[in-house]
Amino acid sequence: MIIYDRGYVGYDFQYEHFKKNVDYLIRTSITHSFLIKDFVESKKQSAIVDVFPNQKHAIVDKEYTKSTSLKVRLIKIVLPTGEIEVLITSLLDSQTFPASMFKELYFLRWGIETFYDELKNKLKLEYFTGYSKASIEQDFFCTIFISNLQSTIVNDLQEELKLKNKSSKLNYKINTNLSYGFLKNRILELLFKEAPLEEVFKELEKLFLKNTIPIRLNRINKREVGKYHNRKRPLVLKNQKDAI
């Protein structure tokens, strides 16, 4: 199944999944339609409804008509702050897929969101060194290579992290920003073998394990509604130095 954030809800988009027999889970605005508004105001946690194409739009060269319906399931999630989120899914069977599982299921997309943060803000993927196709492709694939290398080392350290966490009140994880910085200073040694590879990797593993940060669960950051509606790119202040 594919998990989507807000902004992807639409009959045509959902119909393509139905046609290809691909399950999906999409978050939608609570004001997306009258159907969603009625569901939010109801006391139901889950409901199976029929959705139709937008009656105001002309349908040209489509495989469906305005009377073609899709059965979808609406899931209501109440956050600790009291805020309500609504999810739309093609998983209709409430016995196999109870409503209680969807909050955790939707949260699984967060790993992708944080990876975008790593690429854009820590590895500076958008700052290309040239304008040619070759330069952009070179910068892109170098960034992905660095990210994959960092992930490989972190994955190899999971057992050591478990041992370290046994003697700590909190669980700890590798500091991503610092780990990229350590790689930056040693990547040439790894690529050109100026030092034995095993020694470089051991040094990196020690640095990664030495520089960990605690995992603080259930932290809530207040969402600033309308923050990104300005035409100008917003200024995001950091509490860390650049990794690269």
Side-chain angles (χ1 to χ4, degrees):
M1 95 174 299
I2 306 176
I3 303 174
Y4 299 95
D5 204 348
R6 291 195 307 177
Y8 290 91
V9 178
Y11 183 91
D12 195 59
F13 189 70
Q14 292 168 257
Y15 184 84
E16 288 299 316
H17 288 71
F18 169 76
K19 187 172 68 173
K20 293 179 172 58
N21 196 29
V22 175
D23 286 313
Y24 58 85
L25 178 66
I26 310 175
R27 182 184 164 200
T28 180
S29 166
I30 60 175
T31 59
H32 174 71
S33 65
F34 289 112
L35 185 68
I36 301 296
K37 289 180 182 178
D38 291 341
F39 174 67
V40 171
E41 293 173 0
S42 72
K43 296 182 179 179
K44 297 179 181 178
Q45 186 184 10
S46 174
I48 296 176
V49 298
D50 290 306
V51 295
F52 295 87
N54 193 318
Q55 298 299 308
K56 295 181 180 180
H57 295 167
I59 297 178
V60 182
D61 297 330
K62 297 294 184 182
E63 299 178 8
Y64 53 81
T65 67
K66 290 186 178 182
S67 61
T68 305
S69 66
L70 288 177
K71 281 198 177 298
V72 300
R73 185 177 173 198
L74 304 180
I75 308 291
K76 187 187 298 180
I77 305 294
V78 181
L79 303 179
T81 59
E83 181 184 357
I84 293 176
E85 290 185 350
V86 176
L87 306 175
I88 299 179
T89 182
S90 57
L91 301 177
L92 306 180
D93 190 342
S94 60
Q95 297 296 321
T96 306
F97 308 104
S100 57
M101 68 173 278
F102 282 90
K103 181 178 180 181
E104 183 177 354
L105 181 61
Y106 178 68
F107 187 75
L108 293 178
R109 93 192 197 290
W110 191 243
I112 298 173
E113 300 286 345
T114 54
F115 183 62
Y116 287 153
D117 172 65
E118 288 183 19
L119 289 179
K120 292 175 65 176
N121 300 321
K122 293 182 174 63
L123 291 174
K124 306 296 183 184
L125 179 63
E126 297 175 307
Y127 293 85
F128 297 110
T129 57
Y131 296 100
S132 67
K133 179 183 176 183
S135 295
I136 291 173
E137 288 182 345
Q138 176 178 279
D139 287 349
F140 176 82
F141 289 116
C142 284
T143 301
I144 298 301
F145 172 76
I146 293 292
S147 176
N148 288 342
L149 182 59
Q150 187 266 359
S151 297
T152 299
I153 298 175
V154 170
N155 288 336
D156 288 343
L157 293 175
Q158 291 309 305
E159 291 300 322
E160 287 86 343
L161 273 177
K162 287 181 181 178
L163 292 174
K164 182 177 180 179
N165 290 333
K166 282 184 178 180
S167 58
S168 305
K169 291 183 179 180
L170 295 173
N171 288 333
Y172 284 77
K173 64 179 181 179
I174 303 297
N175 187 316
T176 305
N177 197 57
L178 286 179
S179 65
Y180 283 130
F182 298 142
L183 270 175
K184 175 189 69 174
N185 296 326
R186 292 162 181 80
I187 193 67
L188 292 179
E189 293 181 20
L190 288 171
L191 292 176
F192 294 102
K193 300 182 180 180
E194 293 181 4
L197 291 181
E198 188 175 349
E199 290 184 12
V200 178
F201 272 108
K202 283 184 178 180
E203 181 186 5
L204 285 169
E205 288 178 350
K206 288 180 180 178
L207 287 170
F208 281 25
L209 280 174
K210 186 178 179 181
N211 294 274
T212 56
I213 53 176
I215 301 173
R216 302 187 186 278
L217 300 176
N218 302 318
R219 298 183 73 181
I220 300 174
N221 294 318
K222 185 178 179 181
R223 177 179 294 163
E224 297 182 34
V225 179
K227 178 179 178 181
Y228 298 104
H229 286 179
N230 298 328
R231 290 184 181 179
K232 198 174 180 182
R233 187 168 183 175
L235 176 64
V236 180
L237 300 177
K238 303 181 298 181
N239 63 352
Q240 61 187 21
K241 293 183 178 179
D242 291 336
I244 300 298

